[in-house]
Amino acid sequence: AQSVTQLGSHVSVSEGALVLLRCNYSSSVPPYLFWYVQYPNQGLQLLLKYTTGATLVKGINGFEAEFKKSETSFHLTKPSAHMSDAAEYFCAVRGKGRGSTLGRLYFGRGTQLTVWP
Amino acid sequence: DTAVSQTPKYLVTQMGNDKSIKCEQNLGHDTMYWYKQDSKKFLKIMFSYNNKELIINETVPNRFSPKSPDKAHLNLHINSLELGDSAVYFCASSQEGVDTQYFGPGTRLTVL
């Protein structure tokens, strides 16, 4: 079974400050890893993903995340927060199995990011 | 062009009614999904179809029945609506062998 834990349901930062959103996963094999962003009353938009290869992945809007197998983590960072970054962020893992596990996304419970002026 | 679209965006109805939510994707994907987001924003998969065949069927009440008339459409029909069905329902699609899922804007269902 796979699971995702996002530490901190709410994170507040000042504009221009570092953004760090934490994500840890539990999986028998390293899964595919994703970060999605949800703006108010909108659907989910893919920020970035890790499948194979380079463990530091860059996404849209200046976000990046690093896959650390030894720590089973995939934390999301952005060097300088902007007001427009305020949203809900979801970490997700995707199974690599076949059959019913194929394609299934397991989501964390989300982290609400607030950016203060 | 909207990649994954859902109708309606908002749905308010009474307990006991039957309602449907429609989803269409124009990405040419062969796999489509329904997710439920509860009031605490937790997202959980409900169903998945691949080439019109049901692949994932989570433990959801039988009142929920997905229907896929073709690869581009996956509709969700809900019978005898209950208060606990109130949530945001998201449709998503992907191409088998490619990992990224694309989500629709969501349908906010409110059962009174």
Side-chain angles (χ1 to χ4, degrees), chain B residues 40-63:
Chain B
K40 296 185 178 180
K41 297 197 175 180
F42 181 59
L43 279 152
K44 186 175 180 182
I45 193 165
M46 300 174 68
F47 301 103
S48 169
Y49 269 75
N50 176 263
N51 283 315
K52 304 192 323 178
E53 179 183 353
L54 183 64
I55 300 298
I56 296 173
N57 185 354
E58 279 295 275
T59 310
V60 299
N62 291 336
R63 300 181 294 102

Side-chain angles (χ1 to χ4, degrees), chain A residues 17 38 61 91 94 106 112:
Chain A
Q38 184 180 24
N61 302 338
C91 182
R94 177 182 179 272
Y106 297 86
Q112 178 69 47

